[in-house]
Amino acid sequence: LDSRLPLVDRSDGTKDSESFTAAAARDQFQEELVIRPLHSGDIYASFQFRTLWDIDFLQERQKVSHYRLFPKSLGQVLSKFSVRELHISFTQGFWRTMQWGQPFIPSPPGAELWVWFHDTVSDVDGNWKELTNVLSGIFCASLNFIDLTNTVQPSASFKPLGLGNATDHRFLRYATLPREIVCTENLTPWKKLLPCGSKAGLSVLLKSEKLFHSSFHSQAVHIRPVCQDEQCTSKAWELRQTLNVVFDLYTSSQGKKEWSLFKMFSRTLTEACPLATSSKIYVDITDNPELFELNPVTPLLSQAVVLGDRRTYSVFDLTRAETFGQLCSLNLLLRWKGDSGMNVFDGCDMLRPLLHAERYVAGFGLQTGEIHTVIYNNHPYRAFPVLLMDSVPWYLQLYIHTLTVTSKSRDNKPSYIHYQPAKDRHRPHLLEMLIQLPPHSMTEVTVQFERALLKWTEYTPDPNHGFYVGSSVVSALVPSMVAMNTNFTQDQPLFSSFVPVKEESSYFVRVYTEPLLVNLPTPDFSMPYNVICLTCTVVAVGYGSFYNLLTRTFQVDEPSLPLEKRLANLIRRIRGVPLLA
Amino acid sequence: MRIFAFIHLLVSIPHGYSNYVETKAGQFFSSGHTNNWAVLVCTSRFWFNYRHVANTLSVYRSVKRLGIPDSHIVLMLADDMACNYRNPKPATVFSHKNMELNVYGDDVEVDYRGYEVTVENFLRVLTGRLPPSTPRSKRLLSDDRSNILIYLTGHGGNGFLKFQDSEEISNMELADAFEQMWQKRRYNELLFIIDTCQGASMYERFYSPNLMALASSQVGEDSLSHQPDLAIGVHLMDKYTFYLLEFLEEVHPASQANMNDLFKVCPQSQCVSTPGHRTDLFQRDPGSVLITDFFGSVRKVEITKDTINLTSPVDRKKYITGFLCCQTNL
């Protein structure tokens, strides 16, 4: 996976002199780490690695062959399958919105893949199938289990995050694998895609033994076309690799509210990635000095409005030598002040997340059930609409006539419903609804279902574990308490520039609910063997005895004579005299 | 007269020497393997079968350490133990109690995992009959000059090996798969190691040439597990693979250890079961087969300062097909 060819090796047809200087400026790499202490004492670390490349993959005549910072394996995937946007994430654990707030980049448990293909693609399903197989090889994951039975084409959620007005959802494909496990074998190829690998810069902190011993771990790759400047005169491809991890107070820190880079990642930083134009660490110090103190103190401060809140960050610039100090290593220390039981912000509503959702299965028995999705609007006086997307596998047969949406115990009719019924063994259910949430309320969406009987070969090797139903997705433009920044600036920190901000008064939020685990009626898999044995025994005993009765004949059997009589018979035969009996 | 003989001798020595070099070159190209592959399979699911995953990962670790790259290893693990929620130390799989050796490591690449490890996928990997969209890392791209190491572990019985508690592969199917590989010239020599109960029954039915097989127990015997770790709560490894790992840790790429040493690994006093082996289908003498011929990726390198006239490709092909034709039982 070595994607870095020497600069002099140009083979894409351009002239040597102009391509030599142009190649040096065509791609750039930035890395950043944001550390946000959470009120419960846990700590949230978010890595973002971004490569911007000024090239057009979808151009027919020019074949891209010179890769420098952009990984070659992904570039070839983009051009071969005419992909416009690709978002893939692998997550272990569930994001607890009420305790931790909103994440910078949300992701559902398991694996999630959604792709916008280019308009020129004629066979989107074929491309999708091959793309999932290729990605399963790149990321060492079982993405080849994505097929038409768990792929949907959302009509309104998952609009492109990059350039382009796409309205035709025939070119969009979305699938989740809630059962997918994330472990070192997925982190290893992910790290190999980075320009500095795991050798220099912020990626040296990515040690699997620490990262997977956490409450939440999510690694993702997002590829999309973006504008290079505000007038959008030139376009570029952006590859963002993000890794979000939440370290638990009790498992990683033994209950002591004291965090440092060494404690979180078992390493300190010694240098920035030499290939990066910018390498920064942002520590959220909005709640400092009431809550914790930060060492070493840095004069660089930055303010950013992210997720509807104005936060202040301490910035550590790793490209400057003085950040590393005398010991040539940087280790940040955050120490909580005061009583560990005291929570200063208990009564403050400002920090409660404005949008929150839960989902669970109700009912009893193995025949029917009910899916309940509960969406909370915690804004004190503003109502806003949310788009709820549900993708349910075909073996949970939904009865849509039992669909009810209630807010504050009154019926709440959605203004837009898109429902695609399932087809057994071909297609899952897709339900998308635009629901207006009244202020400070709880909205409940319920639908009844019946469990189907699968064929015995369709069960997994461990069917008693249950079957997973992927998370529901709630997407909304939430009203913001603080005016959001709609200006495009080149040196905007990466964490605040992931989702494009269209208007000042609201920001985009995507909330994933829990996946469901549903037990399907499981047959006794030894029954075919039992039936075969029993039938064969009955047939053998019954038919066998009947056959014997009909065809058996009895013959008299003469007993053999003792030796003396046999000798006597021999002599008698010689003499010609009748034999003895 | 003497001077004439002396001059004749002087002239004939370089000629004889170049002949010697040519024959050595001929031998170099006609014998041996040029690349190594490994197919390592763990067939058991569920947390209490932790030891089977640890077995496979320790062989993976040895094979990587001795030089076979990830692109030439097909690793199949039927369940995830490292990031299992019951693992008290996530992202680790230990082979020794007191957590001495983490065989999972930091740069592991698992090709087939979870539900993908089925009898069908295993046989497809061996025979090469995979759907066209299968990525390279999931294929066994061996040729007629490849030495392949196949390691299987799990629960087995007399004549079968259980995959994931739901299906089985029989010894006849395995023998037929190897015959398919032979007919398509997908291996030069193959070493088959199996660590299950009654493992010797799995190699009884082999009939293709150039196969050598090792098993951890004879028919009618059970392979036993080694030591439990009280913190993790399960048995960490099986006895045979534990001693195999101990033996392989001593091997380095330049080692001259041969197969006879491998046969002596884990005698009955240590293993309780009697390990078995089968070499009748193998052409070479096991004493001349190096461990690194299968476990490592050691290239045969001969340094020479003379120029050698290589025989034309047509002649070389005739030589090699002649060599191969004598191997088959046609």
Side-chain angles (χ1 to χ4, degrees):
Chain A
L1 277 169
D2 186 13
S3 57
R4 295 182 287 289
L5 299 173
L7 265 172
V8 295
D9 185 20
R10 292 293 286 164
S11 47
D12 63 355
T14 50
K15 290 209 197 94
D16 260 323
S17 53
E18 62 184 42
S19 64
F20 195 81
T21 44
R26 283 182 99 171
D27 52 7
Q28 48 157 319
F29 175 67
Q30 295 161 296
E31 54 178 18
E32 86 176 19
L33 164 62
V34 180
I35 298 180
R36 187 165 96 189
L38 302 168
H39 289 283
S40 49
D42 307 325
I43 197 153
Y44 171 34
S46 173
F47 290 83
Q48 282 208 35
F49 302 93
R50 179 172 88 152
T51 308
L52 260 183
W53 197 16
D54 197 5
I55 203 160
D56 196 353
F57 280 115
L58 303 174
Q59 218 176 1
E60 295 297 324
R61 23 183 198 92
Q62 193 191 45
K63 202 168 162 235
V64 180
S65 52
H66 176 66
Y67 289 88
R68 196 170 78 99
L69 298 176
F70 201 94
K72 184 174 177 185
S73 47
L74 289 181
Q76 288 179 328
V77 160
L78 292 180
S79 39
K80 180 160 185 217
F81 299 112
S82 306
V83 168
R84 212 172 71 212
E85 264 193 44
L86 185 137
H87 301 268
I88 183 168
S89 71
F90 297 97
T91 310
Q92 178 204 58
F94 181 66
W95 182 267
R96 298 188 196 132
T97 315
M98 289 309 278
Q99 287 154 309
W100 299 339
Q102 294 284 0
F104 293 122
I105 316 247
S107 53
E112 185 201 42
L113 171 66
W114 57 282
V115 174
W116 273 95
F117 289 94
H118 209 247
D119 317 2
T120 54
V121 173
S122 53
D123 179 17
V124 182
D125 283 330
N127 272 23
W128 171 250
K129 184 80 192 140
E130 285 198 37
L131 175 66
T132 50
N133 275 305
V134 166
L135 289 175
S136 86
I138 295 178
F139 291 106
C140 285
S142 326
L143 295 174
N144 44 321
F145 283 129
I146 293 178
D147 54 13
L148 294 172
T149 59
N150 49 20
T151 308
V152 290
Q153 299 175 34
S155 62
S157 320
F158 297 103
K159 288 284 175 225
L161 286 176
L163 280 181
N165 311 326
T167 47
D168 194 351
H169 64 273
R170 283 182 300 132
F171 294 102
L172 168 65
R173 292 290 185 272
Y174 173 87
T176 51
L177 291 173
R179 188 87 200 261
E180 195 63 21
I181 302 156
V182 193
C183 209
T184 312
E185 66 246 25
N186 305 111
L187 187 63
T188 309
W190 189 93
K191 282 198 284 192
K192 283 191 185 159
L193 297 173
L194 296 170
C196 278
S198 47
K199 306 279 193 302
L202 290 171
S203 45
V204 299
L205 297 176
L206 302 174
K207 292 271 167 253
S208 58
E209 283 187 25
K210 286 287 185 177
L211 286 178
F212 291 105
H213 197 47
S214 55
S215 302
F216 179 83
H217 170 102
S218 171
Q219 61 197 54
V221 172
H222 301 275
I223 304 177
R224 57 183 178 170
V226 291
C227 289
Q228 287 266 48
D229 50 21
E230 203 159 325
Q231 288 80 27
C232 221
T233 45
S234 66
K235 299 187 190 134
W237 280 89
E238 182 195 71
L239 161 69
R240 278 197 199 220
Q241 285 180 254
T242 64
L243 195 141
N244 292 339
V245 60
V246 174
F247 292 104
D248 186 60
L249 173 65
Y250 295 101
T251 53
S252 302
S253 181
Q254 290 90 41
K256 274 195 295 201
K257 285 189 179 177
E258 191 182 286
W259 291 102
S260 67
L261 280 186
F262 190 79
K263 201 176 215 179
M264 292 195 281
F265 305 110
S266 68
R267 258 213 66 148
T268 57
L269 286 166
T270 49
E271 54 169 346
C273 173
L275 297 167
T277 51
S278 123
S279 177
K280 294 200 171 111
I281 300 185
Y282 293 86
V283 182
D284 187 338
I285 53 166
T286 322
D287 302 324
N288 174 327
E290 294 104 19
L291 208 53
F292 63 92
E293 63 180 50
L294 170 65
N295 269 319
V297 185
T298 172
L300 285 173
L301 288 178
S302 151
Q303 283 226 336
V305 181
V306 61
L307 297 171
D309 202 6
R310 184 177 296 280
R311 315 288 294 182
T312 316
Y313 295 90
S314 262
V315 184
F316 294 86
D317 192 345
L318 298 178
T319 48
R320 293 200 200 161
E322 56 262 20
T323 320
F324 296 103
Q326 290 282 1
L327 299 167
C328 287
S329 100
L330 173 67
N331 185 12
L332 301 173
L333 183 63
L334 285 90
R335 196 181 291 122
W336 260 243
K337 284 193 203 166
D339 199 358
S340 57
M342 182 176 76
N343 196 345
V344 183
F345 295 93
D346 255 335
C348 187
D349 272 337
M350 276 278 280
L351 294 160
R352 273 182 89 192
L354 291 174
L355 179 63
H356 171 53
E358 290 173 345
R359 192 163 74 145
Y360 57 90
V361 171
F364 60 90
L366 283 176
Q367 196 184 0
T368 54
E370 212 171 87
I371 298 181
H372 289 242
T373 311
V374 184
I375 312 174
Y376 296 90
N377 175 0
N378 294 326
H379 202 287
Y381 50 86
R382 288 281 300 273
F384 55 85
V386 299
L387 191 60
L388 169 69
M389 187 190 96
D390 249 321
S391 163
V392 179
W394 64 268
Y395 41 81
L396 293 191
Q397 294 156 340
L398 296 180
Y399 289 119
I400 290 294
H401 71 278
T402 58
L403 175 69
T404 60
V405 182
T406 47
S407 303
K408 294 181 169 174
S409 7
R410 272 200 317 233
D411 244 349
N412 182 352
K413 200 161 172 321
S415 48
Y416 168 77
I417 300 186
H418 174 243
Y419 173 62
Q420 192 183 48
K423 216 166 166 190
D424 273 2
R425 298 178 181 87
H426 282 283
R427 219 171 47 200
H429 297 276
L430 173 65
L431 178 62
E432 277 184 281
M433 298 191 290
L434 186 66
I435 308 172
Q436 183 80 2
L437 300 182
H440 205 68
S441 68
M442 178 186 95
T443 306
E444 194 164 337
V445 178
T446 61
V447 62
Q448 289 181 3
F449 66 87
E450 196 178 71
R451 294 166 220 235
L453 268 179
L454 297 180
K455 296 182 187 167
W456 73 293
T457 47
E458 288 170 344
Y459 286 93
T460 54
D462 51 351
N464 291 302
H465 181 86
F467 288 77
Y468 282 89
V469 177
S471 313
S472 295
V473 187
V474 178
S475 324
L477 277 173
V478 175
S480 167
M481 302 290 193
V482 177
M484 299 291 293
N485 184 10
T486 51
N487 297 329
F488 177 94
T489 43
Q490 272 291 2
D491 51 357
Q492 225 180 359
L494 294 176
F495 62 90
S496 58
S497 62
F498 181 63
V499 181
V501 178
K502 300 267 169 56
E503 32 179 89
E504 277 189 346
S505 55
S506 58
Y507 61 96
F508 180 74
V509 154
R510 186 169 276 149
V511 176
Y512 290 93
T513 62
E514 300 93 330
L516 301 174
L517 185 57
V518 171
N519 256 319
L520 288 182
T522 309
D524 181 1
F525 292 103
S526 61
M527 274 317 281
Y529 169 75
N530 296 342
V531 167
I532 292 172
C533 281
L534 190 66
T535 318
C536 290
T537 311
V538 166
V539 166
V541 168
Y543 175 71
S545 8
F546 197 64
Y547 178 80
N548 277 338
L549 277 175
L550 289 178
T551 58
R552 196 156 47 188
T553 55
F554 291 94
Q555 291 170 333
V556 177
D557 191 26
E558 292 182 10
S560 60
L561 300 168
L563 190 60
E564 314 84 49
K565 287 206 177 166
R566 266 194 268 160
L567 278 173
N569 271 343
L570 191 65
I571 296 165
R572 281 178 175 231
R573 214 181 284 143
I574 295 170
R575 283 172 58 193
V577 164
L579 301 173
L580 289 173
Chain B
M1 184 60 186
R2 268 192 216 149
I3 296 168
F4 185 73
F6 183 64
I7 291 168
H8 181 76
L9 195 65
L10 270 179
V11 167
S12 66
I13 282 174
H15 187 255
Y17 181 66
S18 68
N19 260 343
Y20 161 77
V21 163
E22 296 253 357
T23 39
K24 279 280 277 186
Q27 280 172 359
F28 182 84
F29 283 110
S30 67
S31 70
H33 60 284
T34 57
N35 55 75
N36 285 83
W37 286 81
V39 179
L40 310 172
V41 185
C42 160
T43 60
S44 306
R45 172 164 279 277
F46 305 124
W47 174 246
F48 49 82
N49 290 320
Y50 181 102
R51 58 189 188 279
H52 296 139
V53 171
N55 288 351
T56 317
L57 286 172
S58 20
V59 178
Y60 173 78
R61 175 206 147 76
S62 310
V63 146
K64 260 183 92 158
R65 194 176 51 84
L66 291 172
I68 302 187
D70 269 313
S71 52
H72 282 225
I73 303 178
V74 177
L75 178 61
M76 303 171 82
L77 297 180
D79 202 358
D80 170 58
M81 299 302 165
C83 288
N84 196 312
Y85 289 110
R86 287 162 119 159
N87 192 348
K89 292 203 83 178
T92 58
V93 173
F94 292 107
S95 62
H96 287 63
K97 71 173 181 198
N98 302 328
M99 303 186 192
E100 282 165 24
L101 181 61
N102 174 17
V103 288
Y104 195 57
D106 226 357
D107 59 346
V108 60
E109 285 186 21
V110 182
D111 302 303
Y112 287 84
R113 57 185 204 157
Y115 298 134
E116 291 179 292
V117 178
T118 56
V119 173
E120 183 188 341
N121 281 349
F122 175 59
L123 292 177
R124 280 185 186 278
V125 164
L126 288 184
T127 54
R129 289 210 179 97
L130 289 159
S133 51
T134 316
R136 274 183 81 100
S137 56
K138 288 184 163 172
R139 289 180 187 259
L140 179 66
L141 297 165
S142 56
D143 52 30
D144 64 318
R145 286 259 151 264
S146 307
N147 271 15
I148 306 182
L149 165 71
I150 297 186
Y151 177 82
L152 290 175
T153 183
H155 288 289
N158 191 353
F160 68 91
L161 170 64
K162 192 169 71 158
F163 266 70
Q164 295 221 43
D165 210 23
S166 66
E167 47 182 6
E168 299 155 359
I169 186 172
S170 66
N171 48 8
M172 209 57 231
E173 280 178 338
L174 200 55
D176 287 340
F178 288 153
E179 177 62 17
Q180 280 191 51
M181 287 175 81
W182 174 251
Q183 296 211 355
K184 284 162 78 172
R185 298 291 178 264
R186 281 171 67 79
Y187 68 90
N188 173 38
E189 285 167 348
L190 200 144
L191 175 64
F192 174 77
I193 305 183
I194 183 161
D195 187 353
T196 63
C197 301
Q198 308 193 49
S201 61
M202 289 305 285
Y203 61 64
E204 269 172 3
R205 305 288 195 115
F206 288 173
Y207 55 94
S208 316
N210 287 355
L211 292 178
M212 181 157 28
L214 275 109
S216 58
S217 54
Q218 301 290 341
V219 176
E221 286 180 349
D222 287 336
S223 286
L224 302 177
S225 58
H226 191 56
Q227 7 159 263
D229 180 286
L230 295 176
I232 299 179
V234 283
H235 284 263
L236 294 181
M237 269 188 93
D238 280 334
K239 285 192 153 75
Y240 181 74
T241 312
F242 182 82
Y243 290 106
L244 179 68
L245 176 65
E246 228 175 52
F247 171 77
L248 288 174
E249 290 284 298
E250 310 286 315
V251 173
H252 53 87
S255 159
Q256 295 294 312
N258 57 42
M259 282 297 156
N260 283 335
D261 304 323
L262 194 62
F263 296 153
K264 290 194 210 118
V265 163
C266 210
Q268 197 180 11
S269 52
Q270 281 176 325
C271 257
V272 183
S273 58
T274 320
H277 54 89
R278 182 177 174 177
T279 52
D280 57 313
L281 294 166
F282 205 71
Q283 302 296 324
R284 297 193 279 156
D285 169 43
S288 67
V289 179
L290 298 176
I291 298 281
T292 50
D293 276 354
F294 289 102
F295 284 88
S297 191
V298 179
R299 297 279 182 272
K300 212 166 163 187
V301 176
E302 296 230 11
I303 303 174
T304 171
K305 290 193 186 126
D306 313 290
T307 40
I308 297 170
N309 278 332
L310 297 175
T311 50
S312 68
V314 176
D315 292 342
R316 195 157 61 86
K317 213 202 299 184
K318 269 200 295 194
Y319 189 91
I320 288 174
T321 44
F323 174 72
L324 281 176
C325 129
C326 308
Q327 313 285 336
T328 55
N329 306 327
L330 290 170

